[in-house]
């Protein structure tokens, strides 16, 4: 009985490629986020470590290279990729990804597995088509070519697999060379960085501790609180994390608290705080003095913030649930020394971590979110004390969500002005590279291999 049950149970566990195909098909049909589906699937099936790595590589790699893969596949599929059944389309996509982009997997292994999957899910005709298409790709893959540079938008779009509308907007903002560097960086593997909780330990001591435990780490070049972890496994499972000595946070995100520059015993508001990374960073800098209100619109995310606060042994954070645009109804005018608005945005600075964003977002999404950002910024302006600081940040590189919002806000709110003291809050070599205009910073993903981020620091006049 036991043996039979075990055998039955094993038959239900998918292979890495089968699981990857299911995830890609759900992402394709339901527009679901791949990272959430991947985590749920890996937790459900408990694959071996190598299978986990292969599934992850195939899912993210195939999504990253989606339109390039479809461009080439259409040269081999008579019916065209878009007209195939979703699972067949995604089986061919992930197989092409392995054949064209990965060196370590033998071609015959890719074909055999794809044919076996198509036999289990379809019929002989489909498996025959899959077999024929993949063998034809193997014969001709060295001859595959991208379009020439005569149409630079199409060329960059297919070379680095980004939507044409995105490439065109970035060329208009940054030029062709920088746009290509951004797109290339977006397809790289994001590195892991952690923030030291300086209330418990200093960065140098922690680096020594980590190296003694065989981790390859280096101090962040852009944040005095950051450590880049080049190898060391999942830091969320480490004792340093469990003991509250570190938080997992991208280096660009760490710059936000540095620009807010919170002081001891101040009263601060973080308008869109979940999951709490920037809030807790500011709370650490305030050395457990004063008060930080960590607000978020989603009630279920309040618990996430509380968990981080407890883990990091912080005592100066209070949580709040409210639409950021309505916070003026909750707090009195001139309540806060400093306010951080890390605004909802298109997220186009974090494509390396969330490659689905390339295909889920549209140009109209970028235009629609800009008005929401300006509305929130305008509505919280009265909450800043005279002489106080308002910091606006996003994790996007879109000018319509960044500097254009700040300029529109300043034109409507003359009691605020750009704060030039921002230059003193960051290392000068970093500041010079990421300075966009006076008082505004723009980190691009190709600068430090960190997330794309925008930060502006505004000062409220004393006499208002």
């Amino acid at each position: 009985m036991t043996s039979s049950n075990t055998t039955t149970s094993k038959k239900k566990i998918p292979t890495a490629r089968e699981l990857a195909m299911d995830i890609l098909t759900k992402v394709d049909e339901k527009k679901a986020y791949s990272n959430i589906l991947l985590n749920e699937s890996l937790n459900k099936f408990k694959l071996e470590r190598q299978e986990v790595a292969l599934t992850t590589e195939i899912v993210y790699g195939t999504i990253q290279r989606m339109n390039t893969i479809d461009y080439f596949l259409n040269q081999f599929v008579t019916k065209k990729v878009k007209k195939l059944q979703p699972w067949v389309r995604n089986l061919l996509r992930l197989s092409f990804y392995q054949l064209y982009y990965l060196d370590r997997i033998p071609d015959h292994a890719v074909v055999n597995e794809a044919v076996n999957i198509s036999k289990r899910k379809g019929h002989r005709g489909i498996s025959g088509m899959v077999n024929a298409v993949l063998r034809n790709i193997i014969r001709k893959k060295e001859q595959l070519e991208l379009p020439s540079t005569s149409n630079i938008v199409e060329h960059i779009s297919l070379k680095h697999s980004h939507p044409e509308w995105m490439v065109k907007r970035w060329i208009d903002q940054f030029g062709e060379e920088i746009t290509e560097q951004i797109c290339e960086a977006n397809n790289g593997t994001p590195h892991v960085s952690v923030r030291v909780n300086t209330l418990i330990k200093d960065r140098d001591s922690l680096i020594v501790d980590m190296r003694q435990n065989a981790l390859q780490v280096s101090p962040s070049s852009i944040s005095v609180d950051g450590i880049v972890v080049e190898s060391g496994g999942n830091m969320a499972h480490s004792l340093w994390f469990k003991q509250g000595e570190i938080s997992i946070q991208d280096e660009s995100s760490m710059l936000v608290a540095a620009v807010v520059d919170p002081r001891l015993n101040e009263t601060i508001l973080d308008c869109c705080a979940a999951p709490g990374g920037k809030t807790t960073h500011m709370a650490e800098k305030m050395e457990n003095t004063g008060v930080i209100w960590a607000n978020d619109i989603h009630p279920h995310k309040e618990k996430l913030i509380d968990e981080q606060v407890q883990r990091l042994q912080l005592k100066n954070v209070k949580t709040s649930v409210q639409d950021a645009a309505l916070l003026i109804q909750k707090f009195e005018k001139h309540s806060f020394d400093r306010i951080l608005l890390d605004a909802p945005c298109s997220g186009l600075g974090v494509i390396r971590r969330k490659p689905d964003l390339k295909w889920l977002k549209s140009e109209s999404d970028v235009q629609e979110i800009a008005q929401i950002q300006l509305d929130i910024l305008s509505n919280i302006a009265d909450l800043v004390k005279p002489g106080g600081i308002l910091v606006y940040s996003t994790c996007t590189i879109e000018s319509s969500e960044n500097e254009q919002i700040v300029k529109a806000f300043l034109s409507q709110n003359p009691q605020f002005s750009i704060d030039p003291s921002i230059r003193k809050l960051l290392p000068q070599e970093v500041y010079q590279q990421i300075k966009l205009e006076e008082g505004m910073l723009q980190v691009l993903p190709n600068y430090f291999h960190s997330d794309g981020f925008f930060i502006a620091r505004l000062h409220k006049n004393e006499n208002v």
Side-chain angles (χ1 to χ4, degrees):
M1 180 68 79
T2 302
S3 172
S4 173
N5 283 344
T6 303
T7 304
T8 302
S9 176
K10 284 184 177 178
K11 285 181 180 177
K12 294 178 181 175
I13 298 177
T15 64
R17 295 176 180 88
E18 205 166 17
L19 186 57
M21 183 194 70
D22 286 341
I23 293 169
L24 290 169
T25 303
K26 289 175 182 171
V27 170
D28 191 5
E29 288 190 298
K30 300 178 181 177
K31 308 304 177 192
Y33 284 109
S34 60
N35 60 332
I36 295 173
L37 281 177
L38 185 63
N39 286 338
E40 287 175 352
S41 300
L42 294 177
N43 286 333
K44 178 179 178 182
F45 293 110
K46 309 290 183 191
L47 302 183
E48 297 292 330
R49 187 172 177 177
Q50 284 187 328
E51 293 283 281
V52 169
L54 181 58
T55 307
T56 305
E57 166 76 54
I58 290 174
V59 168
Y60 286 145
T62 303
I63 292 173
Q64 279 178 339
R65 303 288 180 172
M66 187 78 78
N67 69 337
T68 312
I69 290 172
D70 283 1
Y71 173 77
F72 285 133
L73 273 179
N74 278 332
Q75 299 173 26
F76 296 93
V77 180
T78 308
K79 204 174 173 181
K80 302 303 176 190
V81 176
K82 290 289 184 188
K83 294 183 178 177
L84 295 171
Q85 292 183 58
W87 73 267
V88 179
R89 174 164 64 237
N90 287 292
L91 180 60
L92 288 176
R93 282 172 172 167
L94 69 88
S95 299
F96 184 93
Y97 174 72
Q98 295 168 83
L99 292 172
Y100 192 75
Y101 291 105
L102 300 183
D103 296 328
R104 62 183 185 277
I105 301 177
D107 290 350
H108 66 83
V110 176
V111 177
N112 289 345
E113 178 71 0
V115 170
N116 288 336
I117 292 172
S118 58
K119 282 178 180 175
R120 289 196 292 274
K121 284 193 68 74
H123 51 70
R124 183 175 295 180
I126 292 178
S127 65
M129 184 273 286
V130 168
N131 186 44
V133 167
L134 295 182
R135 291 190 182 283
N136 202 11
I137 289 169
I138 292 169
R139 282 193 293 273
K140 297 181 179 177
K141 67 179 176 181
E142 301 301 329
Q143 302 162 28
L144 296 177
E145 291 183 357
L146 292 166
S148 72
T149 56
S150 59
N151 182 337
I152 193 64
V153 172
E154 181 187 39
H155 179 78
I156 294 176
S157 167
L158 288 172
K159 183 178 180 183
H160 300 290
S161 211
H162 281 62
E164 287 193 10
W165 69 265
M166 206 175 282
V167 172
K168 185 174 186 313
R169 286 179 73 94
W170 292 348
I171 287 177
D172 291 342
Q173 291 176 55
F174 307 112
E176 294 174 7
E177 185 178 354
I178 297 295
T179 296
E180 183 157 11
Q181 290 173 10
I182 291 170
C183 293
E184 185 175 15
N186 282 344
N187 288 333
T189 303
H191 65 214
V192 175
S193 56
V194 299
R195 185 188 81 230
V196 181
N197 182 356
T198 50
L199 293 179
I200 298 177
K201 208 161 194 173
D202 66 81
R203 182 168 75 168
D204 290 345
S205 299
L206 193 55
I207 287 175
V208 170
D209 194 9
M210 287 177 164
R211 286 175 176 166
Q212 286 175 344
N213 283 275
L215 269 66
Q216 291 181 26
V217 298
S218 57
S220 166
S221 61
I222 64 174
S223 171
V224 294
D225 300 321
I227 297 175
V228 177
V229 183
E230 285 136 18
S231 72
N234 189 338
M235 296 306 292
H237 296 160
S238 71
L239 197 57
W240 300 294
F241 182 84
K242 291 173 183 172
Q243 291 178 339
E245 295 178 2
I246 60 169
S247 294
I248 299 168
Q249 187 177 17
D250 185 81
E251 294 171 272
S252 298
S253 176
M254 296 179 205
L255 297 177
V256 177
V259 170
V260 175
D261 190 29
R263 306 293 174 84
L264 302 186
N265 295 306
E266 286 188 330
T267 302
I268 291 179
L269 171 63
D270 187 350
C271 300
C272 304
K278 299 176 191 69
T279 294
T280 53
H281 194 188
M282 291 188 289
E284 291 163 7
K285 285 181 174 294
M286 292 169 70
E287 299 178 13
N288 266 331
T289 68
V291 178
I292 296 186
W293 280 93
N295 177 77
D296 201 86
I297 192 173
H298 302 292
H300 67 280
K301 292 186 176 178
E302 188 177 24
K303 184 182 173 189
L304 295 177
I305 300 171
D306 280 331
E307 287 173 352
Q308 296 308 314
V309 169
Q310 295 300 318
R311 185 181 63 80
L312 294 166
Q313 304 171 37
L314 297 170
K315 306 181 190 312
N316 55 346
V317 177
K318 294 183 178 180
T319 55
S320 158
V321 177
Q322 180 65 276
D323 181 340
L326 303 177
L327 282 168
I328 192 67
Q329 299 174 8
K330 185 163 190 169
F331 298 105
E332 291 186 6
K333 189 176 177 181
H334 299 170
S335 294
F336 297 96
D337 297 290
R338 292 161 206 261
I339 293 182
L340 167 62
L341 173 58
D342 187 48
C345 68
S346 62
L348 300 188
V350 295
I351 284 174
R352 181 166 28 190
R353 297 185 190 279
K354 299 177 180 177
D356 323 53
L357 289 173
K358 287 193 288 192
W359 317 117
L360 291 173
K361 296 291 182 182
S362 66
E363 197 162 13
S364 62
D365 291 331
V366 174
Q367 292 159 352
E368 287 171 11
I369 197 75
Q371 188 57 52
I372 295 172
Q373 293 161 338
L374 183 58
D375 288 346
I376 298 175
L377 198 53
S378 300
N379 288 347
I380 61 171
D382 277 348
L383 294 175
V384 183
K385 288 180 182 176
I389 296 295
L390 174 57
V391 171
Y392 175 78
S393 66
T394 71
C395 60
T396 189
I397 60 174
E398 272 291 326
S399 64
S400 62
E401 301 178 63
N402 294 337
E403 61 266 34
Q404 291 181 32
I405 294 293
V406 172
K407 289 176 180 176
F409 171 78
L410 290 175
S411 69
Q412 298 167 13
N413 295 273
Q415 71 275 30
F416 283 89
S417 58
I418 287 288
D419 185 357
S421 66
I422 193 171
R423 70 166 68 91
K424 301 173 184 173
L425 301 173
L426 300 171
Q428 276 306 298
E429 60 273 23
V430 171
Y431 175 74
Q432 289 305 324
Q433 185 165 358
I434 63 179
K435 175 188 172 187
L436 180 65
E437 294 181 26
E438 193 68 40
M440 301 186 206
L441 308 174
Q442 178 68 77
V443 187
L444 298 178
N446 53 311
Y447 284 169
F448 307 106
H449 301 292
S450 57
D451 291 346
F453 241 88
F454 172 84
I455 311 171
R457 182 177 158 103
L458 311 175
H459 177 260
K460 191 171 188 177
N461 298 342
E462 295 280 357
N463 303 317
V464 291

